[in-house]
């Protein structure tokens, strides 16, 4: 079981989109039982709130359903995750500040796994939820491809048992 935690500033737009997209993609790959997928905020701004409606509508437009309630990440959540996938540079620094610089080896920007490494621009400010969806979808699939290649034998075994 691999624990993947997606992180953004508010946990109502990008990281819950990433959580639900990733759950959808691992289901498609028949690997749902091999993953525990979560998402968190670096801030407390939106704690307790559901996915922002335009983000939810964008997911639904692409056939992805689900719910999430925003929560703020703690150091324990970092310790309990195998991968922390953040959306942008600010998120990366905020998580590293929380851990006093520890655990950097498992903290990555989501789109650094793609052929076009970039930050996922915050649709809260840009209003462009479709662009955020495309960046996150690309990042999630490139991350899964890279992980599955690295641990091919273990995943093949999980699929059979
Ligand atoms: P997210 O977007 O980090 O992608 O969830 C934001 C949501 C809320 C706020 C900022 C960004 N806010 O300032 O409340």
């Amino acid at each position: 079981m691999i624990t993947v935690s997606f992180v953004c500033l508010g946990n109502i737009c990008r990281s819950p989109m990433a959580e639900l997209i990733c759950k959808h993609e691992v289901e498609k790959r028949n690997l749902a039982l091999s993953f525990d997928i979560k998402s968190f905020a670096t801030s407390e701004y939106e704690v307790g709130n559901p996915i922002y409606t335009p983000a939810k509508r964008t997911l639904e437009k692409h056939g992805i359903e689900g719910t999430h309630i925003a929560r703020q990440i703690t150091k324990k959540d970092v310790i309990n995750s195998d991968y922390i996938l953040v959306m942008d540079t600010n998120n990366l620094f905020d998580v590293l500040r929380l851990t006093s610089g520890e655990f950097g080896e498992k903290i990555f920007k989501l789109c650094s796994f793609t052929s076009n490494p970039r930050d996922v621009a915050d649709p809260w400010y840009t209003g462009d939820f479709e662009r955020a969806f495309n960046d996150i979808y690309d990042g999630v699939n490139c991350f899964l491809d890279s992980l599955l290649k690295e641990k091919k034998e273990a995943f093949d075994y999980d699929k059979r048992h």
Side-chain angles (χ1 to χ4, degrees):
M1 169 80 75
I2 293 187
T3 300
V4 182
S5 295
F6 295 98
V7 176
C8 66
L9 177 60
N11 195 213
I12 57 167
C13 299
R14 293 166 297 172
S15 63
M17 287 174 86
E19 175 186 333
L20 296 183
I21 291 169
C22 193
K23 284 179 175 165
H24 188 257
E25 296 307 299
V26 300
E27 292 255 349
K28 268 186 7 198
R29 293 167 188 246
N30 200 20
L31 286 171
L33 294 177
S34 300
F35 285 90
D36 184 16
I37 301 165
K38 312 173 188 195
S39 69
F40 299 94
T42 55
S43 73
E44 58 187 347
Y45 305 154
E46 301 286 347
V47 167
N49 288 336
I51 304 176
Y52 190 49
T53 303
K56 194 162 171 46
R57 284 211 189 104
T58 306
L59 288 170
E60 285 166 359
K61 202 177 109 192
H62 290 274
I64 298 176
E65 306 270 345
T67 57
H68 179 75
I69 298 295
R71 54 194 168 163
Q72 189 176 23
I73 195 165
T74 64
K75 188 168 174 182
K76 201 167 158 202
D77 296 316
V78 177
I79 291 168
N80 290 337
S81 299
D82 297 302
Y83 291 92
I84 302 282
L85 301 180
V86 303
M87 302 296 136
D88 63 30
T89 304
N90 287 332
N91 306 153
L92 185 66
F93 287 145
D94 286 341
V95 177
L96 285 171
R97 195 172 306 123
L98 175 72
T99 62
S100 309
E102 279 188 282
F103 308 112
E105 69 284 355
K106 58 178 165 181
I107 308 171
F108 300 92
K109 285 194 203 179
L110 175 61
C111 287
S112 48
F113 291 91
T114 73
S115 56
N116 173 24
R118 60 203 185 273
D119 283 6
V120 179
D122 194 338
W124 181 260
Y125 301 108
T126 65
D128 194 342
F129 286 84
E130 195 59 35
R131 178 176 155 208
F133 180 93
N134 288 330
D135 284 349
I136 295 166
Y137 188 87
D138 187 24
V140 163
N141 277 293
C142 290
F143 166 70
L144 290 174
D145 287 346
S146 139
L147 188 64
L148 266 52
K149 205 164 148 193
E150 186 189 321
K151 301 191 192 304
K152 186 175 182 313
E153 274 147 39
F155 282 111
D156 283 349
Y157 183 83
D158 274 14
K159 270 191 192 166
R160 290 194 305 269
H161 294 83

